[in-house]
Amino acid sequence: MFGVLPLASGQVYCYASAPALAGVRHDDEAAELKQRFGRWHDPIPGLIGAISPDRVLHDDVYWIAEPLPAYHRGRVAILGDAAHAMTPHLGQGACQAIEDAVVLASVAGPGTAAETAPGNGAEPGIGTAPDLAAYTSARRPRTRMVASGSYRATRLSGMTSPAAIALRNTGIRLAGRLAPSLMLRQMDPLASWTPPL
Ligand SMILES: Cc1cc2nc3c(=O)[nH]c(=O)nc-3n(C[C@H](O)[C@H](O)[C@H](O)COP(=O)(O)OP(=O)(O)OC[C@H]3O[C@@H](n4cnc5c(N)ncnc54)[C@H](O)[C@@H]3O)c2cc1C
């Protein structure tokens, strides 16, 4: 998979992923990119040619395959990748971390002015214990749904058998032509989240 995102000031962010052995690194990662993707369609060869080698980051992708039973224990809660590291192919890991933070803030509450005001003799802090079970209940099903979708996208994009790739590409091309709105609606569950009041 090769992705291209134009940024401000004429800069371009590119990402690429491919099945590879964990831990293997190359002396010249830009040359490795060229070798793997340099014969793909435009504008990929040109973009790879313009990359300065010191700007290439090469990491292995890890994800939590077996969902955690909860995102809290006692008075401790976790969020983001610590709770539900997922494959990056839906571009949702950081989005879900932000949603976690919003929900966690809503169950934690704002504290009270009397508790946090300086000089009142009280230690600053949160008044009542936050309902962390409510946080887990709100976030676990959604993040599991997103992580599963992301994993399906990873499997789809990481196919290596030519027959499977041809079938996938034909299916996506046909669906895009015959039912474009249906294709777009696949993203509705990701985009339709609303923060708690
Ligand atoms: C190639 C790729 C593309 C991606 N694209 C997208 C995208 O388009 N959209 C999207 O929403 N998400 C994307 N993601 C996912 C996103 O990057 C992560 O989900 C997100 O960064 C998780 O945020 P986090 O704060 O939970 O964890 P992290 O970003 O991992 O932050 C944790 C921080 O804690 C620090 N830390 C760890 N241990 C300690 C310690 N003991 N003491 C102090 N500090 C510590 C780490 O150094 C790190 O800085 C992508 C991921 C990858 C790999």
Side-chain angles (χ1 to χ4, degrees), residues 5 13 15 60-61 79-82 86 88 90-97:
L5 295 173
Y13 164 61
Y15 59 90
D60 300 327
V61 172
L79 74 163
D81 279 10
M86 60 188 73
L90 283 185
Q92 277 291 309
C95 299
Q96 294 306 309

Side-chain angles (χ1 to χ4, degrees), residues 31-43:
E32 175 67 15
L33 278 177
K34 195 170 181 182
Q35 198 255 316
R36 278 185 182 266
F37 300 99
R39 283 185 296 277
W40 284 28
H41 59 77
D42 284 333

